[in-house]
Amino acid sequence: MIKRFTWGRPVETEAVVKREAGERKLSEVPYFSQVQTGDGRVSVLTYHMGEHDIIYGLGENIRGINKRGWVYESNCVDDPIHTEARRNLYASHNFFLVDGRERFGVFVDAPQKVTFDIGYTDRDRLAVTVDAGGFDLYILEGDSLRQMVREFRQIIGRSYIPPKWGFGYGQSRWGYENEDDIRQVVKRHRDNGVPLDSVYMDIDYMERFKDFTVDEEKFPKFPRFVEEMRAQNIHLVPIIDAGVKIEKGYSVYEEGVENGYFCKKEDGSEFVGGVWPGRCHFPDMLNDDARKWFGRKYKLLLDQGIDGFWNDMNEPALFYGEDYLTKAFEKLDEYRKQELNLHTFFGMKNLVLGLSNRKEDYESFYHEYKWERIRHDKVHNLYGYYMTRSAGEAFDELEPDKRILMFSRASYVGMHRYGGVWTGDNSSWWSHILMNLQMLPGLNMCGFLYTGADLGGFGCDTTEDLLLRWLELGIFTPLMRNHSAKGTREQEFYRFGHVEDFRGIIGLRYALVPYLYSEFVKAAMRDDMMFLPLAFVYPKDQEAAVVEDQLMVGESVMIAPVYRQNARGRYVYLPEDMKLYRFRSSEDVDIEVLRAGHHYVKAELNEVLVFVRPNHVVPLAGGGCCVADVDMSRLRLLHFVTDQAEYELYDDDGYGKKIDLESGITKVRVTVDGKVDAEGALEAEWTLF
């Protein structure tokens, strides 16, 4: 059951697509004992938590699966330092579940800043603070955590489904400068027998970092190069940024100015901020006409054979606002004339460090949204969502029958209908493997199924063991991409000494594609989760409720990755008996049955732990150099059958937008004596592993 409560005049975010008729007053909201809405600045809702209440959700965020004990802000920001001290990242996902003395869900539909103090100020107090402005509050009630997630997902709309090749391995780096750099990446993968489906193109491919351009010196015959890569089953995936360079003769800039498509200051002039190209204007993504115009610009690259994109810098990131930069230079001139002592030195330092992403800059420009003018900070968290929406709507028009890969850095609930997310500029830190794992259930709760992290870490210098361990988690995430920053250690797998270990792990990913793709599409079509905390599957198991470093992946598998340096194993909790497959490659595996309870499980650096639940099976395919080569005609079944197991395997052509679960399902049954029976769309040879 879902109830909507309204305060003031909310901005319509279009996060919710099935909106309940009518509305209730915020003063009638249940569970929250105190509601304050009178001062014109903030609204505060307070809930008294039980001693052992667990709080799930909030999408992409730092800290654990249980969000209790910290304060979080929904205020999309470009900041690559993801430590425990952070309160906000690139996304704003205002949905959470309370499980304990009472069980209910909350969605705060507000595009302005929202703060969730979950036991930070007072360890038993949950306080939701919404900055000035109206908002809608949705309260969900249900018999289980998973049921409430399904109900929420039904009102926010179906999750984006990428092309099947988007489940392949992708190699990326800020610093692939030209065609030969990319050719070398592809050749080294193919020469080493390691599957690869995509190479990502960061800002290096553009002409002086201008959107919807290709540098003709670096890529002199780009359509021919795209075709050359496609002949090797490689998809090129270019980046698109939010800022449009101010430059005469640049058509995107000139069209935007001529038609009034850029965000404007209070006096009606275009807002100017700095990003990669230098001085930029920012398309008014909330303006219907501007959004349609920007989305149609993707056609330039679609027409050259591109079928995948990633949107970046769309919080939107600001290196500086030009008006404040002018004042900062004046202040620096004053510092030049002074002795730099304790006060003046740090004043100068803070002045420079404070140029980026200033609150005051975000308060200085406006959008035309739904026929009215609205200041940016009142809708800040919608910008990345609406930029990706512009692309998704354009793809429906330009490529009506073909799935286009799309994911974004910034997002809000609702963007999940148009694309996925990657979790931003992480670092090559062991703690970020665990952070990656712990983000996955919260993202799934908010509809973001197509997601993954920069494997190996984007910033800092990775190590071979860190990259291996991270890949051992990454082979289960739908988006599997190795990405790193210019100036850091190059981290393509062939830079390291044990190529065979990388070959085994990445090859296992391709063997798992039938299962991962099937579980993903079923989760999308049934408004379900792909990554679940153990408590969502074993709700009566009190020990499962506190496990923070293991996840269920789909209906059959539990994972428990190793995330500590020099570890040769880890402790694992099993809520029930499970069969452990310890993989070194899709062919090299040890198998044992472990009883329910606590175990220390060995896992060498090149080993992946896959736990299979009782009376469940997992389809495993043969290898290939790309997803298109995955052999679906001969499937082996990982299995733990104590009575009888049945699995619904979904498959399709991987490209068409029309998804029909009923016609694409093959039902596979396995009996305790090893008999396999299959009925449905897929004709295959089935064997037990």
Side-chain angles (χ1 to χ4, degrees), residues 106 419 565:
V106 178
Q565 190 170 19

Side-chain angles (χ1 to χ4, degrees), residues 234-249:
I234 296 296
H235 300 261
L236 298 178
V237 185
I239 196 171
I240 302 294
D241 286 338
V244 171
K245 183 174 177 58
I246 299 172
E247 179 179 281
K248 289 185 177 181

Side-chain angles (χ1 to χ4, degrees), residues 332-343:
L332 286 172
D333 283 339
E334 293 180 19
Y335 281 124
R336 193 202 308 268
K337 303 170 186 176
Q338 302 178 41
E339 181 181 358
L340 295 181
N341 58 27
L342 171 65
H343 302 293

Side-chain angles (χ1 to χ4, degrees), residues 364-405:
S364 70
F365 63 93
Y366 293 78
H367 298 273
E368 295 294 330
Y369 183 54
K370 295 189 181 296
W371 304 285
E372 66 176 284
R373 194 174 188 232
I374 187 167
R375 203 172 72 189
H376 173 80
D377 59 303
K378 306 298 183 183
V379 290
H380 172 72
N381 294 327
L382 296 183
Y383 195 88
Y385 159 22
Y386 273 63
M387 178 182 176
T388 299
R389 177 178 175 177
S390 76
E393 291 172 337
F395 298 156
D396 286 341
E397 175 188 336
L398 300 170
E399 296 282 1
D401 301 318
K402 181 180 178 182
R403 290 182 235 167
I404 303 297
L405 181 68

Side-chain angles (χ1 to χ4, degrees), residues 77 89 137 165 170 252 557 590 638:
V77 66
L89 294 176
L137 180 75
W165 63 262
V252 181
V557 168
D590 298 330
L638 308 184

Side-chain angles (χ1 to χ4, degrees), residues 157-405:
R158 183 167 293 162
S159 297
Y160 161 81
I161 299 176
K164 190 189 286 188
W165 63 262
F167 286 78
Y169 181 55
Q171 181 60 53
S172 181
R173 181 173 173 83
W174 174 20
Y176 293 158
E177 295 282 353
N178 52 46
E179 292 181 358
D180 286 341
D181 284 352
I182 294 173
R183 286 191 182 100
Q184 178 72 0
V185 169
V186 174
K187 183 177 187 302
R188 295 293 294 272
H189 279 77
R190 295 292 188 246
D191 288 350
N192 283 283
V194 176
L196 181 71
D197 270 87
S198 54
V199 177
Y200 288 81
M201 304 173 70
D202 212 311
I203 55 177
D204 316 274
Y205 81 93
M206 300 178 183
E207 179 193 329
R208 290 180 290 114
F209 311 133
K210 295 186 294 185
D211 278 341
F212 309 113
T213 66
V214 177
D215 190 317
E216 294 183 359
E217 291 186 7
K218 298 176 180 179
F219 299 89
K221 297 179 180 178
F222 189 61
R224 184 180 297 179
F225 180 61
V226 174
E227 184 57 35
E228 174 190 330
M229 291 294 103
R230 183 64 56 81
Q232 301 178 63
N233 284 307
I234 296 296
H235 300 261
L236 298 178
V237 185
I239 196 171
I240 302 294
D241 286 338
V244 171
K245 183 174 177 58
I246 299 172
E247 179 179 281
K248 289 185 177 181
Y250 171 36
S251 63
V252 181
Y253 160 72
E254 292 188 339
E255 289 174 19
V257 171
E258 181 181 354
N259 292 285
Y261 289 154
F262 294 125
C263 295
K264 295 180 175 58
K265 298 191 296 184
E266 189 171 15
D267 64 6
S269 62
E270 280 84 3
F271 173 76
V272 178
V275 205
W276 300 116
R279 299 173 68 247
C280 289
H281 291 327
F282 294 83
D284 186 355
M285 299 297 182
L286 278 69
N287 178 298
D288 290 346
D289 292 335
R291 186 171 69 250
K292 182 177 293 187
W293 163 76
F294 191 83
R296 285 176 175 166
K297 290 299 175 184
Y298 288 81
K299 186 176 187 297
L300 179 140
L301 292 164
L302 290 171
D303 287 348
Q304 298 182 73
I306 294 298
D307 54 4
F309 302 88
W310 47 309
N311 284 345
D312 195 11
M313 306 296 285
N314 53 352
E315 293 71 34
L318 289 176
F319 292 172
Y320 58 83
E322 188 169 69
D323 289 349
Y324 182 70
L325 181 66
T326 301
K327 296 177 182 178
F329 279 136
E330 293 172 356
K331 186 66 177 177
L332 286 172
D333 283 339
E334 293 180 19
Y335 281 124
R336 193 202 308 268
K337 303 170 186 176
Q338 302 178 41
E339 181 181 358
L340 295 181
N341 58 27
L342 171 65
H343 302 293
T344 53
F345 171 76
F346 285 102
M348 180 187 70
K349 181 179 179 181
N350 292 336
L351 173 68
V352 175
L353 293 178
L355 285 173
S356 299
N357 305 316
R358 293 178 67 252
K359 175 178 179 288
E360 294 80 4
D361 287 330
Y362 291 122
E363 293 173 349
S364 70
F365 63 93
Y366 293 78
H367 298 273
E368 295 294 330
Y369 183 54
K370 295 189 181 296
W371 304 285
E372 66 176 284
R373 194 174 188 232
I374 187 167
R375 203 172 72 189
H376 173 80
D377 59 303
K378 306 298 183 183
V379 290
H380 172 72
N381 294 327
L382 296 183
Y383 195 88
Y385 159 22
Y386 273 63
M387 178 182 176
T388 299
R389 177 178 175 177
S390 76
E393 291 172 337
F395 298 156
D396 286 341
E397 175 188 336
L398 300 170
E399 296 282 1
D401 301 318
K402 181 180 178 182
R403 290 182 235 167
I404 303 297
L405 181 68

Side-chain angles (χ1 to χ4, degrees), residues 38 82 97 118 131 160 295 331 360 467 472 597 675:
H82 304 169
L97 298 176
I118 308 177
D131 274 18
Y160 161 81
K331 186 66 177 177
E360 294 80 4
L467 180 56
E472 288 162 14
K675 181 181 178 182

Side-chain angles (χ1 to χ4, degrees), residues 96 118 126 139 150 162 214 267 273 290 304 408 429 480 502 557 576 669:
F96 64 90
I118 308 177
L126 187 161
I139 300 293
R150 289 190 188 111
V214 177
D267 64 6
Q304 298 182 73
S408 170
W429 301 338
M480 185 186 181
F502 290 97
V557 168
E576 58 183 335
R669 299 177 185 86

